[in-house]
Amino acid sequence: MSYLALARKYRPRTFDEVVGQMHVVRALTAALTQDRLHHALLFTGTRGVGKTTLARIIARCLNCDNSGGVPTPTPCNTCQSCTSIEQGRFVDMLEIDAASHTGVDNMREIIENAQYQPTVGRYKVYLIDEVHMLSKGAFNALLKTLEEPPAHVKFILATTDPQKLPMTILSRCLQFHLKRLSVSTIVAQFGKILTLENINNETPALHELARAADGSMRDGLSLLDQAIAFGGGVVTTHDVHDMLGNTGGQVVYSLLEAVAAFDAQAAWALLQNLL
């Protein structure tokens, strides 16, 4: 079996596994528990913070075969519907990349298809990623359906640039902003994954990788994958500095200490070393 990237292998499958977005998870869990999930959700936030992941979890919550015929915040992830959604072959969940399907014809096809009952699930779920890339005509075609969709349809829109969305679209959606993840949150997730993978590591190295991730868990896990390969199965601070091309905070502290102590010789030596 081919190697599976960490970002895919450890993609959250339940709300409990989602990290750093508890304000969104809490609202969605309550809505699903009360069967009051809005028909159009908008997830905004930078890349790699969980927009698509949450959409797929919601699709499983709505269509889980073992939920007693109603939406549930805790899908089983073992039934045919749950596994099909996870593997991207569930016929009633359509993921559309708006960057490559920008035209009005693409949107009209989706809207016409939405009128029909689900084939195997209880709900049809349409995930439109990077929705801000749609053309003006496509937005206009989507408006009426977003306002009065069929009862068996849920729309989930995701974007990294909500400022480009028309106000008419925003007013028809329930909006959730996914936060950039803190360094400590990313480091904690790194620690769990490396323990499961049985890979030796140094904590300062994980902090360097988390800072380089810039708030994105997916970017962080990609960097962690790279660091594991770079270090030959071990994640060390020295290797991470070499890989990222940075010097680490300690060198800066040492230089500041030399300047504060008026030690020109030590400061010059540190500068030469940096060069």
Side-chain angles (χ1 to χ4, degrees), residues 149-170:
H152 58 267
V153 175
K154 300 290 184 184
F155 283 97
I156 303 176
L157 315 181
T159 178
T160 54
D161 199 354
Q163 290 83 2
K164 291 183 179 178
L165 291 179
M167 284 302 298
T168 48
I169 293 288
L170 291 173

Side-chain angles (χ1 to χ4, degrees), residues 187-225:
V187 168
Q189 187 71 357
F190 283 173
K192 291 177 184 176
I193 290 171
L194 291 172
T195 300
L196 292 170
E197 293 287 319
N198 198 26
I199 293 173
N200 292 327
N201 61 89
E202 295 177 0
T203 302
L206 303 187
H207 280 273
E208 290 292 337
L209 291 169
R211 276 191 284 271
D214 194 26
S216 168
M217 183 64 77
R218 185 177 63 225
D219 287 4
L221 291 175
S222 296
L223 286 171
L224 184 60
D225 251 330

